[in-house]
Amino acid sequence: MELFFYYKNSLYCEGVKVGEIAEKIGTPCYLYGKNSICSQYRKFEKAFSTLFPLICYSLKANSNLSLLKILKNLGAGADIVSLGELFLALKAGIPPEKIVFAGVGKREEEIKEAIKKNIYLFNVESASELKLINKIASKLNRRVNCNLRVNPDVEPKTHRYVATGRKESKFGIGWKEVAKIFKDKASFPKINILGLHIHLGSQITFPEVYQIAIKKLINFIRKERIKVDVLDIGGGFPIQYEKKVPSIKDFAISIISLLKELRAKIIFEPGRYIVGGSGILVTRVLYLKGKFVVVDAGLNDLLRPSLYGAYHEIVPLKKPSGKSFIGNIVGPICESGDFLGKNRRLPLSLKEGDFLAIKDTGAYGFSMSSNYNSRLRLPEILVSQAKDRVIREREKYADLIR
Ligand code: LLP
C-alpha cells in the first residue's frame, strides 16, 4: 500500500488524516510514516542479505532522534560526519561498534572524542588526516581502525553538487596515493588499516556506476596485492521523485557477485533510500496571485528545489478534481530563488487557506533547514499505528536569541 493515499477525497498518512494534523499542529510541518521507514530499511536489508553487510544509516539525511531509535531497533549502525551526529547516534542507543565516521575536514577534538567513544572506524580522506589520527591515537595509547576513502574517478551521472566520486571533487584519496599509504603502513603504527571506502554521490540512478567503481577497486586490490578486510560502499541509492528509478534489488543484483569475490566485510551507508519517501512537508496556501501560489513554507524549510532545482511532487490534501491551472508554488522568503515547484498542475478550485503536501521530503528536508529570515524551524510529526506524535517541537522566538 502507498504510504500517502487519498481516502474519501482526503490525503491520509498510514491511517491518519493529514489535514487534521495540519490543523492541530499548524503549518508548515514535516510528517513521517514509521511503517514506510521500517519497510524501506527491510527492503534494503533483504536486497543485500547474502552479503550480511553492516548497514550504517547516514544521519545527514535526517537525524531526528525518534527516527534514529526506530532504525537502531531494526539493527542499523550509523554513518556520521560530526560530533553532533555522534551524540545523536549514541543517544539513540546505536552501539559504537556500528558507527563509522566520514568527512574531509575532521577536527582534532572530533577525532579524539570519537576514539574515546570507541567508534568502529574512521573513513579517512587524506594522508594528513591519517597522520593526525595516528598522533592522537598514540597520545591516547590506543589502536584505531581506519578505512581509506578512495576517490575512484568514476562519473556518477547525478547532480554536480552531489557527485563525489569524480577526480575533480574534494573527496577521497587518489589511487596512487592509496597504494603508497598501504606500502607505507609501518609509519602509522597506531592504525589498523582495515580496507577501503567509496561514496560515489547521491541519488545515483544507474547501477552500472557502482559496478564500474567496484571493478576498479577489485583490479586495484589485485594489482597492488592489498589486504582488504572491510569494504565500505557508501550510500547514494535513489528514490523516485519524478522519473522511475531502478529498484534496490536491481542495484543488489548488479554488484553482489562482484562484492562476494572480495570476501571482505561489506558496509553500506544509505540515507535517502531509507527515509526520503517516508516524509512530506505540509504547507498552507497564503495567497493566490496570478500564476503564483504563495505558501507558508520556504527555502529555509526545504532547500532542495532552490539549491539543486530538485523536483518534489506537490499535491493538495483535498483530492483534486475538475479543471486545473498551471502555477508556480513559491515561499515567503525574500529571494527570487525561493520556489518549491514550478509549472505545476493544480486544481482551479484551490483556495487561499488550503493545504498542500510536498512529497518525498523525508531526506535532506528538515536536516538542511535553517533560520533564514529569522523563521522558526519546523516541528516534525511521526505517524505510527494510526497515531500521530510530535517528535520535534516547533522552535520558539526565544530560540532565536539563545
Ligand atoms: N555516505 C557518505 C560518505 C555521504 O557523503 C553521504 C551523503 C551518504 C553516505 C548518504 O548518501 P545517500 O544514501 O543519502 O545518497 N543534500 C543532498 C544530498 C547530499 C548527500 C551528501 N552525502 C540532496 O538533498 O540531494
Side-chain angles (χ1 to χ4, degrees):
M1 191 168 62
E2 260 218 69
L3 163 62
F4 296 98
F5 58 92
Y6 287 107
Y7 174 69
K8 292 191 178 163
N9 292 328
S10 296
L11 193 76
Y12 277 74
C13 165
E14 298 187 8
V16 174
K17 199 169 175 178
V18 178
E20 276 174 15
I21 299 177
E23 291 287 2
K24 186 168 69 181
I25 307 291
T27 54
C29 64
Y30 275 102
L31 181 67
Y32 311 119
K34 180 177 173 184
N35 275 349
S36 165
I37 295 170
C38 295
S39 107
Q40 287 299 101
Y41 184 85
R42 292 203 185 98
K43 261 196 261 172
F44 192 95
E45 195 175 47
K46 191 167 165 218
F48 292 105
S49 60
T50 58
L51 293 170
F52 303 100
L54 172 61
I55 302 172
C56 292
Y57 168 67
S58 194
L59 262 72
K60 59 179 82 62
N62 188 326
S63 55
N64 184 290
L65 186 63
S66 298
L67 304 194
L68 298 181
K69 284 181 180 165
I70 294 171
L71 291 165
K72 173 242 154 193
N73 286 334
L74 293 170
D79 159 47
I80 61 162
V81 285
S82 68
L83 287 188
E85 288 188 348
L86 177 60
F87 166 77
L88 289 165
L90 293 173
K91 189 102 183 144
I94 295 174
E97 63 272 17
K98 287 187 183 177
I99 298 179
V100 299
F101 194 160
V104 282
K106 301 179 193 78
R107 287 184 321 219
E108 190 166 339
E109 69 175 273
E110 293 183 299
I111 295 169
K112 212 184 272 170
E113 185 63 17
I115 294 176
K116 283 188 185 158
K117 291 285 191 300
N118 300 313
I119 66 161
Y120 178 35
L121 62 81
F122 290 88
N123 281 319
V124 174
E125 305 227 14
S126 64
S128 306
E129 183 190 332
L130 198 65
K131 248 186 235 161
L132 179 61
I133 298 176
N134 187 64
K135 192 173 118 197
I136 297 168
S138 170
K139 264 195 216 149
L140 296 173
N141 197 22
R142 294 276 302 271
R143 270 185 83 86
V144 174
N145 293 333
C146 290
N147 263 353
L148 301 183
R149 176 168 178 177
V150 193
N151 180 322
D153 194 18
V154 167
E155 171 52 58
K157 300 187 195 161
T158 182
H159 191 284
R160 64 196 165 94
Y161 286 7
V162 295
T164 47
R166 287 194 203 123
K167 201 152 87 189
E168 308 82 72
S169 96
K170 68 178 173 180
F171 297 98
I173 310 171
W175 292 110
K176 274 196 191 138
E177 186 153 15
V178 171
K180 215 172 108 203
I181 295 174
F182 265 95
K183 293 209 172 88
D184 196 25
K185 254 180 170 174
S187 359
F188 308 102
K190 290 295 183 182
I191 290 186
N192 303 321
I193 302 183
L194 296 182
L196 298 170
H197 173 230
I198 50 171
H199 171 72
L200 305 169
S202 201
Q203 184 67 8
I204 295 172
T205 53
F206 299 96
E208 307 87 81
V209 171
Y210 288 89
Q211 247 177 7
I212 293 168
I214 294 166
K215 279 185 189 157
K216 271 193 162 182
L217 275 174
I218 293 176
N219 288 341
F220 172 79
I221 290 166
R222 293 210 171 122
K223 189 172 132 252
E224 300 292 336
R225 297 167 190 268
I226 283 168
K227 192 165 161 287
V228 168
D229 294 321
V230 176
L231 189 61
D232 184 338
I233 304 299
F237 304 95
I239 61 166
Q240 180 176 344
Y241 289 104
E242 188 176 12
K243 288 185 212 118
K244 215 169 155 33
V245 297
S247 71
I248 198 67
K249 238 175 146 179
D250 295 331
F251 282 87
I253 287 167
S254 71
I255 58 176
I256 281 181
S257 55
L258 283 174
L259 289 174
K260 277 189 176 163
E261 277 182 39
L262 284 169
R263 296 169 190 280
K265 167 172 170 160
I266 303 295
I267 301 177
F268 290 107
E269 304 170 344
R272 184 190 319 267
Y273 182 82
I274 307 295
V275 292
S278 310
I280 56 174
L281 170 57
V282 187
T283 183
R284 192 191 276 270
V285 177
L286 299 175
Y287 301 105
L288 293 170
K289 188 163 89 162
K291 70 184 283 201
F292 294 108
V293 177
V294 183
V295 300
D296 61 4
L299 67 75
N300 72 301
D301 305 309
L302 177 66
L303 187 57
R304 303 194 72 256
S306 308
L307 188 59
Y308 314 117
Y311 177 94
H312 287 269
E313 191 185 348
I314 302 179
V315 298
L317 295 198
K318 223 184 290 157
K319 190 174 182 179
S321 62
K323 288 193 176 153
S324 61
F325 73 104
I326 302 290
N328 289 345
I329 294 125
V330 301
I333 302 288
C334 301
E335 303 239 5
S336 298
D338 179 29
F339 64 89
L340 298 161
K342 281 188 177 162
N343 300 319
R344 299 304 178 82
R345 185 169 295 282
L346 292 160
L348 203 56
S349 58
L350 189 73
K351 294 188 310 298
E352 295 179 351
D354 283 356
F355 294 120
L356 297 173
I358 305 169
K359 293 180 87 174
D360 306 312
T361 47
Y364 306 109
F366 184 91
S367 67
M368 290 175 79
S369 69
S370 76
N371 289 112
Y372 187 41
N373 280 197
S374 297
R375 285 159 56 83
L376 304 180
R377 278 192 300 162
L378 304 186
E380 295 175 288
I381 322 296
L382 180 69
V383 174
S384 159
Q385 295 179 327
K387 284 205 180 70
D388 56 286
R389 180 163 67 89
V390 177
I391 55 171
R392 181 192 304 274
E393 287 182 20
R394 191 184 303 282
E395 279 184 341
K396 298 191 170 53
Y397 291 109
D399 293 323
L400 296 179
I401 51 170
R402 216 172 350 119

